[in-house]
Amino acid sequence: MNPENTYSSASTHVWESSSHRDSATLRGIARLMLLVFLNAVVWPSWAVAIEIDHQQQLAAEREWDINNQQLHQVLGNLQDHIRSKRQEVVDEINADQGLIAELLTFLGFGADAIVDEPSRRFLQRLQAFYEQTRGSLEQEARLLKEQDVPEEILQRQKAMSEQIMAHYDEVLSKLADVLLDQSLVEQADKLDALDAVLESLSTRKARDPFDPNKLPWGTPDPKQTPAPAQSADQLSQRYELPLFETGPLLAANVITPDMLGNPGGPTQADLDGTLDAPLSDAIRAKAEELNHDPVAIYQWVRNNIEFIPSFGSIQGAEYTLEYKKGNAFDTASLLVALLRAANIPARYAFGTVSIPAEEVMNWVGNVKNTDAAGNLMGQGGIPNVGLIRGGQVTHFRLEHVWVEAWIDYLPSRGAKHQRGDTWIPMDASFKQYDYQEGMNLAEAVPFDAQGLVDEIEQNSTINEAEGWVQGGSNTAVEQALETYQAQLQAYIESQNPDATVGDVLGSSSIKSVVQAPLAAALPYELMTRKLVSSELSNSQRWKFKYSLGTSLYGRMGSTMLTINKPTVELAGKKLALSFAPATDADAETIASYLPQPDENDNIDPADIPDTLPGYLIHLNGEFSIGDEVAATTSSLTMGTELLSEMGYWQPGRGWKTTTNRPVAGEYRAIALDLQGISPTQA
């Protein structure tokens, strides 16, 4: 052995060992640095991704809880889910229909069912509802027995409880079947079975029972208005009017034999009250105030009743007297009623007339061109057509109504009325106006409506599917309105500190006519032979209809009540749909849920329950006109969703109705805004 070599060898071994240790140390340091790098750069991103996924899952669970708080939400969402799941299952089956797959399916070894975790969550929620409902029904049964309600109500409660729990059992059983281990085909069958059960139940809560978008209103289409009648025959057929031979064609400002009494004098019908022109206390009082003088009566109506460009008898004489506005038919009815109340025979006269375009534009609301005038009359249902001469509309031909009164015309021309001798035409609806323009506030002080809407939407949770909003505050609306009000006030004060309402909004006033003797001619040209009648025909009256019935696939099933009356009979009256207990037992049941009065016979409103067990209570629907019940339904269970149809019949256009969904037990007030609302009705 060579010691030197031995040392050398030992030295080499030591160096190699040291080298290995250094290498291991370096690798350890490298690993440590790698860990530090991963921890600093890579892992946080991975951890953040996991945390984001976790937060998203929590958010989804919170949203699910919010959308499944009520039973109707759970049932509706469950039905949507299983239909979506069934489509997923069907797609999977169709994608795996090879020969082997078909054979395995035939032998009962088809592809495994798709895991359906959401259905498990629905099952748990429904099981919780099951226990809550059972407890509530048992508690309600005990309460009813304590209140000593009639045995009939107890039996209703028992039968309904059994039916409710049977529905629960069926849904829970079918849903549990869906979650069992099975093949895709079996899963599809189970989903179909569950869907059929849910379809037989009401899985959606009804919308608000009242939908403001379903009312018989809107801007009428002038194209639906017929052209004016070209002859008396056509006018007679259109409105079921008697056809009289009334002499030659009349010209404006010309007295003809037709105007002087042909075909004869008045009858008793020309003095009687009618539906459109009743001889009410208010009418008689006004006629007496005007001294039963035909000239004073005509001039008062002519100078005080504003014209509304619509057609047909809408509100009648009494409401026109109250409202101080009306169309030609309503104004004629008021004049007829006042004259008859003064014991002066009066009748309606009808015809197609020609009026200068400038006068028509002023008459219908100070419009600036003939197109607007014709369109406005057409929207109101007045049959009209523009007559073009020299390339422009110079006159309008339109159907019109006025009044004829049996006046002591000779020799005083009505100034001194003692005994009538002549039918004299009186048109109190055709008149001219003085107009004053108001301030253009919309342009001078614009309101940022869209900005307000955006702010409300940002601070609200809106569920369009179910029709509800949460989190909305009135503060933003109030602040916006207060700010805008201050801006308007500042602008008005800067322009005219002493401005009246008329100065701000604009105003109009009738050009009064004081005419001691009556004219024997109309203030326009008559284009057809006139027709006369003591009373308006039914086809000249607007009508209102209200029908209530069961809902069958969104349409009217069996009709339970119907109201169909001329609007003149309803103008200014309260209309209401309400419900009353069907039997004494139902009344007792309702009373049993009301708090007992204190020693002073008072009831604290806070103690009145906000819900009732509707399934136990039977009601009769009642439709009231004024203070009287006009129609009733048969017995209904409280809470039953019904279908109503209401709307107007308009001369020349027919019916326009809309549907809504009242609920048995609610109170629904109806106001007919026929041509505006009088201060008294408001």
Side-chain angles (χ1 to χ4, degrees):
M1 175 181 291
N2 187 342
E4 185 175 350
N5 292 340
T6 302
Y7 172 78
S8 176
S9 177
S11 298
T12 302
H13 177 74
V14 170
W15 180 86
E16 289 177 350
S17 298
S18 175
S19 175
H20 284 301
R21 286 196 300 270
D22 291 344
S23 178
T25 301
L26 289 173
R27 285 197 299 271
I29 294 173
R31 289 194 186 98
L32 180 61
M33 292 180 64
L34 180 60
L35 288 173
V36 171
F37 173 76
L38 291 174
N39 189 60
V41 179
V42 179
W43 285 1
S45 300
W46 175 69
V48 167
I50 292 177
E51 181 61 24
I52 290 175
D53 183 65
H54 178 63
Q55 292 299 327
Q56 289 177 342
Q57 183 178 355
L58 291 176
E61 291 175 357
R62 285 195 297 270
E63 183 179 2
W64 190 92
D65 285 333
I66 291 173
N67 294 331
N68 290 278
Q69 294 180 353
Q70 304 295 328
L71 178 60
H72 76 271
Q73 293 176 312
V74 174
L75 293 176
N77 293 335
L78 173 60
Q79 188 169 30
D80 290 342
H81 169 71
I82 64 170
R83 287 177 176 176
S84 175
K85 179 60 64 176
R86 184 190 179 282
Q87 186 59 49
E88 182 182 350
V89 170
V90 170
D91 291 343
E92 186 70 19
I93 292 173
N94 292 335
D96 190 21
Q97 281 300 312
L99 180 60
I100 301 300
E102 291 182 2
L103 179 60
L104 290 174
T105 300
F106 176 75
L107 296 175
F109 299 101
D112 290 341
I114 298 175
V115 176
D116 188 9
E117 187 58 35
S119 289
R120 195 174 304 280
R121 186 182 297 178
F122 279 116
L123 178 62
Q124 293 172 351
R125 184 58 57 90
L126 281 172
Q127 287 171 336
F129 276 120
Y130 177 90
E131 296 300 331
Q132 293 174 10
T133 303
R134 184 172 62 180
S136 297
L137 292 172
E138 291 173 352
Q139 180 182 2
E140 192 166 64
R142 291 192 297 269
L143 176 63
L144 291 171
K145 290 179 180 178
E146 291 173 3
Q147 295 292 341
D148 196 26
V149 300
E151 181 64 25
E152 175 186 352
I153 304 301
L154 294 176
Q155 292 303 316
R156 284 185 201 169
Q157 201 274 343
K158 179 181 178 182
M160 184 56 69
S161 297
E162 293 174 352
Q163 184 178 347
I164 290 172
M165 300 316 295
H167 283 314
Y168 265 116
D169 289 335
E170 187 175 17
V171 172
L172 289 171
S173 174
K174 299 294 185 186
L175 182 53
D177 287 345
V178 169
L179 294 170
L180 295 176
D181 291 335
Q182 54 201 334
S183 69
L184 281 173
V185 174
E186 290 173 329
Q187 188 178 28
D189 292 340
K190 301 296 185 183
L191 289 168
D192 283 339
L194 178 55
D195 187 30
V197 172
L198 293 174
E199 186 66 25
S200 67
L201 304 174
S202 178
T203 60
R204 297 288 188 191
K205 182 181 179 183
R207 281 179 58 91
D208 244 355
F210 172 71
D211 187 349
N213 295 317
K214 293 185 177 180
L215 287 176
W217 60 13
T219 303
D221 184 358
K223 296 179 181 178
Q224 294 181 359
T225 301
Q230 298 296 312
S231 66
D233 289 335
Q234 186 180 358
L235 197 64
S236 174
Q237 294 173 9
R238 179 176 291 180
Y239 298 115
E240 303 170 359
L241 295 170
L243 180 61
F244 292 121
E245 294 296 329
T246 56
L249 190 70
L250 302 183
N253 302 315
V254 176
I255 300 175
T256 68
D258 168 68
M259 291 181 174
L260 298 179
N262 185 32
T267 65
Q268 181 60 41
D270 299 318
L271 284 170
D272 292 338
T274 66
L275 176 63
D276 309 276
L279 302 181
S280 64
D281 292 341
I283 294 292
R284 292 185 184 278
K286 190 64 183 181
E288 184 174 0
E289 178 187 325
L290 296 171
N291 300 316
H292 296 155
D293 178 9
V295 176
I297 289 172
Y298 163 70
Q299 290 187 4
W300 185 88
V301 177
R302 161 65 177 71
N303 295 333
N304 289 276
I305 304 300
E306 295 183 28
F307 175 69
I308 297 175
S310 60
F311 193 79
S313 179
I314 298 178
Q315 62 193 31
E318 191 163 16
Y319 196 78
T320 303
L321 176 63
E322 176 185 315
Y323 185 38
K324 302 296 188 294
K325 296 179 182 180
N327 64 21
F329 283 81
D330 299 320
T331 304
S333 292
L334 175 57
L335 183 54
V336 165
L338 290 172
L339 289 168
R340 292 180 182 179
N343 202 36
I344 299 170
R347 66 189 186 186
Y348 298 92
F350 312 92
T352 297
V353 302
S354 177
I355 305 176
E358 289 187 0
E359 295 180 12
V360 171
M361 290 190 291
N362 176 284
W363 183 37
V364 301
N366 196 33
V367 297
K368 302 307 180 183
N369 57 68
T370 55
D371 287 343
N375 190 66
L376 192 59
M377 288 190 291
Q379 288 180 348
I382 301 174
N384 75 95
V385 63
L387 303 179
I388 300 176
R389 296 175 186 172
Q392 61 182 1
V393 176
T394 60
H395 290 72
F396 278 96
R397 178 180 295 171
L398 57 107
E399 287 183 17
H400 193 49
V401 57
W402 60 97
V403 173
E404 289 187 340
W406 187 250
I407 298 298
D408 188 348
Y409 190 73
L410 300 174
S412 65
R413 298 181 63 186
K416 185 177 181 180
H417 181 78
Q418 291 183 343
R419 183 177 181 180
D421 54 40
T422 307
W423 287 113
I424 296 298
M426 298 179 175
D427 190 346
S429 66
F430 179 70
K431 60 201 72 177
Q432 297 291 280
Y433 294 82
D434 287 318
Y435 292 95
Q436 176 183 332
E437 297 292 338
M439 299 179 181
N440 190 352
L441 297 178
E443 182 176 329
V445 191
F447 178 68
D448 185 11
Q450 187 59 48
L452 177 59
V453 170
D454 294 341
E455 182 178 353
I456 293 173
E457 288 181 345
Q458 290 173 1
N459 298 306
S460 304
T461 301
I462 302 173
N463 188 322
E464 296 184 359
E466 295 191 9
W468 54 262
V469 178
Q470 290 181 343
S473 173
N474 291 333
T475 304
V477 178
E478 293 172 355
Q479 289 178 347
L481 293 179
E482 288 176 1
T483 301
Y484 186 62
Q485 182 179 358
Q487 293 172 346
L488 288 175
Q489 185 174 350
Y491 176 78
I492 294 170
E493 289 177 351
S494 69
Q495 299 297 311
N496 183 358
D498 301 321
T500 64
V501 174
D503 293 333
V504 175
L505 301 181
S507 63
S508 64
S509 60
I510 299 171
K511 292 183 178 180
S512 298
V513 173
V514 178
Q515 189 174 338
L518 294 171
L522 294 168
Y524 38 70
E525 183 180 3
L526 181 62
M527 305 300 293
T528 66
R529 291 176 300 157
K530 69 175 181 180
L531 302 180
V532 294
S533 177
S534 301
E535 183 176 5
L536 295 176
S537 68
N538 194 48
S539 62
Q540 292 174 308
R541 296 184 178 114
W542 280 58
K543 303 173 188 66
F544 172 78
K545 176 174 69 174
Y546 186 95
S547 298
L548 182 70
T550 58
S551 178
L552 183 63
Y553 302 112
R555 296 185 178 182
M556 184 75 72
S558 59
T559 303
M560 308 188 76
L561 67 78
T562 297
I563 297 294
N564 190 336
K565 292 183 177 295
T567 55
V568 294
E569 193 174 335
L570 305 174
K573 293 183 178 179
K574 298 180 296 182
L575 308 180
L577 174 68
S578 59
F579 293 84
T583 65
D584 291 340
D586 295 298
E588 291 179 34
T589 303
I590 295 173
S592 71
Y593 282 85
L594 299 178
Q596 296 298 318
D598 59 20
E599 62 276 5
N600 298 319
D601 205 30
N602 295 323
I603 293 178
D604 185 354
D607 295 335
I608 298 176
D610 56 4
T611 60
L612 288 171
Y615 69 94
L616 296 179
I617 301 169
H618 292 178
L619 304 170
N620 290 335
E622 300 178 342
F623 192 91
S624 301
I625 300 176
D627 297 326
E628 296 184 0
V629 176
T632 60
T633 71
S634 55
S635 179
L636 294 162
T637 301
M638 178 183 283
T640 301
E641 186 176 285
L642 305 170
L643 192 74
S644 68
E645 180 183 12
M646 66 175 173
Y648 295 114
W649 186 91
Q650 181 178 355
R653 287 185 176 166
W655 285 105
K656 180 181 180 181
T657 61
T658 57
T659 58
N660 238 295
R661 299 183 183 279
V663 174
E666 71 178 359
Y667 182 93
R668 180 164 294 189
I670 301 171
L672 302 186
D673 181 7
L674 300 174
Q675 298 184 109
I677 302 294
S678 72
T680 302
Q681 186 180 10

